[in-house]
């Protein structure tokens, strides 16, 4: 803990010493007049000596008094580390002491609240990840046990169950790979391969990749307009491909039947572009938006996994964009649709 400079006040000692000096000087003056031994220089000398001696005694006693009692309060409330008070004098200014106590109490309260939030997040995260892993594990185990119980003698069943078990294993691998990527992104351990590329061409390749997936729901993948000229940006091409893929896949999953997923690329400022992914799907309630990028957070509290995925897509998107020192935004309205947008640096 960094050593704090605590202000030392002499106000209490000065005022108290002044009162004592005035009273004693007045008494000495009256006594001298009555005994007819009055001497102005003796009176002044007595006053100065009384002031100096009283000041040091009162200041010392006040500091010791406050030190013992206030330090005990600090220790009992665990608001301060003991070393903070042992290595420096304690102020006699009660306003400063009150301010210090209030500040440390507020800091501790904030620490406790932060720990509670983290603990709640940890519990929720462990629950989510166990659920995500448990489902494909039990699926694989079920098919394998069925085969071991005699189903593998049937060639048709054997092939069918092995294919389904393989899909479960692929889902497990997918979840583990996504978790590994998020962990690397969070600790800054994933290096970015920065290069100049045409973002329009990259979007077209993502559309081609997801054409069959969108066709199942008859969702149209399109640009907002024709882009005859390349729009060059500087970023990690494969990571941005993953960002676009995850966003478009999400728009297909939660999009309306015969709906539209539209991508637009606009100039934001002199050296930035903003890429928007807009759909006319079911939309997201405002209450869910702040937590949308959390790992495994799902709007559907029933825990349905009919749409598949690892539950990590949006979290990965956010981390990749932030790794580029860029920003991601979301606007959504229930039954209207959603728009995810992110910024990228233009190529020089």
């Amino acid at each position: 803990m960094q050593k704090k400079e605590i202000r030392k006040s002499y106000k209490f000692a000065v005022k108290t010493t002044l009162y004592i000096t005035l009273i004693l000087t007045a008494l000495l003056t009256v006594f001298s007049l009555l005994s007819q031994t009055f001497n102005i220089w003796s009176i002044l000398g007595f006053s100065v000596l009384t002031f100096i001696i009283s000041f040091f005694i009162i200041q010392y006693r006040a500091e010791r008094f406050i030190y013992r009692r206030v330090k005990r309060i600090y220790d009992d409330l665990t608001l301060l580390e003991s070393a903070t008070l042992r290595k420096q004098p304690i102020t006699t200014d009660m306003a400063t002491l009150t301010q210090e106590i209030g500040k440390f109490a507020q800091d501790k309260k904030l620490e406790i609240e932060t720990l509670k939030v983290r603990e709640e997040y940890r519990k929720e995260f462990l629950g989510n990840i166990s659920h995500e892993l448990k489902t494909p594990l039990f699926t694989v185990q079920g098919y394998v046990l069925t085969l071991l119980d005699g189903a593998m003698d049937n060639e048709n069943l054997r092939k069918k169950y092995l294919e389904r078990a393989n899909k479960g294993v692929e889902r497990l691998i997918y979840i583990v790979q996504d978790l590994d990527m998020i962990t690397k992104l969070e600790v800054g351990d994933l290096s970015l391969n920065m290069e100049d590329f045409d973002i329009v061409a990259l979007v077209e390749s993502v559309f081609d990749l997801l054409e069959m997936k969108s066709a199942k729901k008859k969702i149209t993948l399109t640009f907002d307009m024709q882009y005859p000229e390349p729009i060059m940006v500087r970023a990690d091409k494969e990571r941005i491909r993953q960002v676009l893929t995850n966003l478009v896949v999400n728009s297909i999953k939660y999009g309306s039947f015969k709906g539209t997923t539209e991508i637009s690329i606009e100039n934001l400022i002199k050296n930035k572009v903003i890429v928007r992914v807009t759909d006319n799907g079911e939309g997201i309630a405002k209450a869910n938006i702040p937590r949308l990028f959390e790992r495994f957070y799902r709007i559907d509290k029933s825990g349905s996994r009919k749409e598949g995925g690892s539950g990590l897509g949006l979290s990965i998107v956010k981390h990749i964009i932030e790794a580029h020192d860029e920003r991601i935004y979301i606007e959504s309205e229930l039954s209207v649709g959603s728009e995810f947008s992110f910024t990228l640096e233009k190529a020089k």
Side-chain angles (χ1 to χ4, degrees):
M1 182 176 181
Q2 187 177 1
K3 186 177 178 181
K4 293 174 63 66
E5 292 295 330
I6 298 181
R7 182 165 63 89
K8 189 173 182 180
S9 173
Y10 299 99
K11 189 187 296 184
F12 173 78
V14 169
K15 283 187 176 180
T16 307
T17 301
L18 187 60
Y19 295 150
I20 293 173
T21 302
L22 289 174
I23 292 170
L24 290 179
T25 301
L27 289 174
L28 180 61
T29 301
V30 171
F31 179 78
S32 299
L33 288 172
L34 290 175
S35 61
Q36 297 181 349
T37 58
F38 179 79
N39 185 314
I40 185 62
W41 296 111
S42 297
I43 298 294
L44 288 175
F46 173 80
S47 299
V48 172
L49 191 62
T50 301
F51 184 90
I52 293 172
I53 294 173
S54 299
F55 172 79
F56 282 108
I57 292 174
I58 292 169
Q59 179 68 16
Y60 174 77
R61 291 299 300 158
E63 287 186 15
R64 295 298 298 168
F65 175 83
I66 293 173
Y67 178 90
R68 286 195 297 267
R69 285 158 180 77
V70 175
K71 181 179 180 300
R72 189 175 301 162
I73 295 172
Y74 284 172
D75 289 342
D76 290 343
L77 297 177
T78 64
L79 292 175
L80 286 172
E81 294 180 7
S82 299
T84 304
L85 294 177
R86 289 194 188 117
K87 295 180 181 178
Q88 52 194 343
I90 302 303
T91 176
T92 57
D93 181 2
M94 294 306 295
T96 303
L97 287 172
T98 303
Q99 185 180 2
E100 289 294 320
I101 292 174
K103 182 180 182 302
F104 278 95
Q106 188 65 31
D107 290 345
K108 293 298 178 183
K109 182 180 178 182
L110 185 61
E111 283 181 26
I112 291 169
E113 289 175 352
T114 303
L115 287 172
K116 285 181 178 178
V117 170
R118 288 179 179 175
E119 177 64 15
E120 190 64 30
Y121 176 78
R122 185 187 67 83
K123 289 179 180 178
E124 188 173 341
F125 173 73
L126 289 174
N128 283 329
I129 196 171
S130 65
H131 183 90
E132 293 287 345
L133 294 174
K134 180 173 62 177
T135 304
L137 275 173
F138 285 173
T139 300
V140 172
Q141 185 185 43
Y143 287 125
V144 170
L145 289 175
T146 304
L147 289 169
L148 290 174
D149 286 342
M152 63 179 172
D153 294 332
N154 185 319
E155 187 176 344
N156 292 332
L157 281 179
R158 183 170 67 233
K159 183 178 179 182
K160 179 181 175 182
Y161 286 0
L162 284 173
E163 286 175 349
R164 290 182 179 179
N166 183 58
K167 287 183 180 179
V169 173
E170 286 177 352
R171 178 167 165 74
L172 281 170
I173 294 170
Y174 185 49
I175 292 171
V176 171
Q177 286 176 338
D178 281 355
L179 276 172
D180 182 56
M181 175 171 288
I182 285 181
T183 302
K184 288 179 178 179
L185 285 166
E186 286 181 343
V187 301
D189 199 27
L190 188 67
S191 59
L192 297 175
N193 181 25
M194 304 297 283
E195 59 179 305
D196 296 345
F197 61 91
D198 179 12
I199 187 66
V200 176
L202 186 64
V203 172
E204 288 174 343
S205 70
V206 171
F207 281 171
D208 291 341
L209 180 69
L210 299 174
E211 184 178 6
M212 291 182 64
K213 189 176 185 68
S214 63
K216 292 179 182 179
K217 293 180 72 172
K218 295 187 177 180
I219 290 176
T220 303
L221 305 179
T222 182
F223 283 104
D224 65 320
M225 57 178 282
Q226 292 292 327
Y227 291 94
E229 299 294 330
I231 299 176
M232 303 301 293
V233 297
R234 183 164 185 78
D236 186 319
K237 185 176 180 179
E238 292 309 310
R239 299 302 174 202
I240 298 304
R241 185 195 302 275
Q242 188 172 9
V243 167
L244 288 167
T245 302
N246 286 354
L247 291 178
V248 174
V249 165
N250 253 28
S251 72
I252 295 171
K253 282 182 185 178
Y254 304 107
S256 302
F257 186 72
K258 293 185 179 181
T260 302
T261 294
E262 180 183 272
I263 291 185
S264 63
I265 306 163
E266 305 168 15
N267 287 319
L268 187 62
I269 53 177
K270 185 178 180 181
N271 65 329
K272 298 280 185 181
V273 297
I274 186 164
V275 181
R276 304 182 191 275
V277 181
T278 309
D279 65 64
N280 55 356
E282 58 192 60
I284 305 162
K286 287 185 178 179
N288 293 316
I289 290 177
R291 298 191 61 190
L292 204 59
F293 293 105
E294 289 182 14
R295 287 178 286 187
F296 298 117
Y297 182 74
R298 291 182 184 265
I299 298 169
D300 181 8
K301 299 301 180 184
S302 66
S304 171
R305 298 296 185 267
K306 65 179 181 179
E307 296 293 350
S310 67
L312 299 166
L314 288 179
S315 184
I316 289 174
V317 165
K318 179 175 181 288
H319 282 91
I320 289 175
I321 295 301
E322 289 181 348
H324 283 78
D325 293 324
E326 300 294 346
R327 300 287 299 277
I328 185 164
Y329 310 91
I330 176 173
E331 293 181 13
S332 187
E333 187 175 341
L334 279 174
S335 304
V336 176
S338 304
E339 179 184 280
F340 290 85
S341 57
F342 59 92
T343 57
L344 287 176
E345 184 180 349
K346 290 182 183 178
K348 294 179 181 178

